[in-house]
Amino acid sequence: MPNTKEDQRYMRAAIGAAKIAEDNGDIPIGAVIVYKGQIIGKAYNQREQLADPTAHAEIIALTQAAAFVQSWRLNGCTMYVTLEPCPMCAGALVLSRMDRLVYGCSDPKSGACGSLYNIVQDKRLNHRLEVTSGILAEDCRQQLQNFFEQRRKKLTIDN
């Protein structure tokens, strides 16, 4: 059963990670992975920083968590991420055998965990995740909106 207070605590950690992405000029998305009450993966978007289209917060956090448990199977783990995962990240979550996904705000343009697709709960796949959405959604949404607003202002000033 989801614990909202606990979910909010870990989502705040993901929001903190997203701030690092923002400070580095990347879209502010953060992710943490929790196992037995311990954060074993904590990452933020690094696509711009690494010039890597796969350097999403979720993928980097999955790599960290797998290294921690020394297995690609992340049974018993929960991922907290500020924005609904895209198809690539949703597929990676299924392949990792993650138990649960908690995300902040929905992504109607590329969300693959209930908005546009629902890869993580597709009955045709060999694994499905429990999903909780909307945890600190307004904080997550505001962080993204502020980032893009600042980016538009900078583009206007530079042109």
Side-chain angles (χ1 to χ4, degrees):
M1 184 68 159
N3 178 335
T4 303
K5 190 170 188 164
E6 187 174 282
D7 287 347
Q8 289 178 0
R9 178 176 142 225
Y10 292 124
M11 188 60 73
R12 282 189 181 83
I15 291 169
K19 176 70 171 117
I20 298 169
E22 182 175 8
D23 292 345
N24 290 327
D26 236 310
I27 297 172
I29 300 170
V32 299
I33 297 176
V34 176
Y35 179 68
K36 295 183 178 179
Q38 178 182 357
I39 294 176
I40 62 169
K42 184 175 183 180
Y44 52 89
N45 266 12
Q46 296 182 51
R47 293 185 313 167
E48 298 295 336
Q49 189 176 354
L50 299 177
D52 179 352
T54 68
H56 290 205
E58 299 96 323
I59 300 298
I60 297 166
L62 283 168
T63 300
Q64 293 171 355
F68 182 88
V69 299
Q70 298 182 327
S71 175
W72 61 268
R73 291 177 185 89
L74 296 176
N75 304 95
C77 293
T78 298
M79 174 177 281
Y80 294 84
V81 62
T82 56
L83 181 67
E84 179 183 359
C86 72
M88 174 183 71
C89 295
L93 287 167
V94 170
L95 294 174
S96 76
R97 308 301 194 267
M98 179 85 48
D99 282 4
R100 184 169 176 243
L101 167 66
V102 179
Y103 66 85
C105 58
S106 297
D107 185 354
K109 292 185 178 181
S110 64
C113 302
S115 289
L116 190 58
Y117 305 105
N118 196 355
I119 292 170
V120 296
Q121 294 182 324
D122 190 321
K123 290 183 182 354
R124 296 170 294 178
L125 300 176
N126 66 336
H127 180 76
R128 285 167 292 291
L129 285 75
E130 175 187 337
V131 177
T132 303
S133 61
I135 301 296
L136 299 179
E138 190 52 40
D139 294 347
C140 297
R141 185 176 0 273
Q142 195 62 53
Q143 188 176 38
L144 285 161
Q145 286 176 341
N146 290 345
F147 173 79
F148 286 112
E149 183 178 302
Q150 291 303 313
R151 184 178 267 186
R152 284 189 295 275
K153 283 181 184 175
K154 185 178 179 342
L155 287 173
T156 302
I157 292 169
D158 290 346
N159 289 329

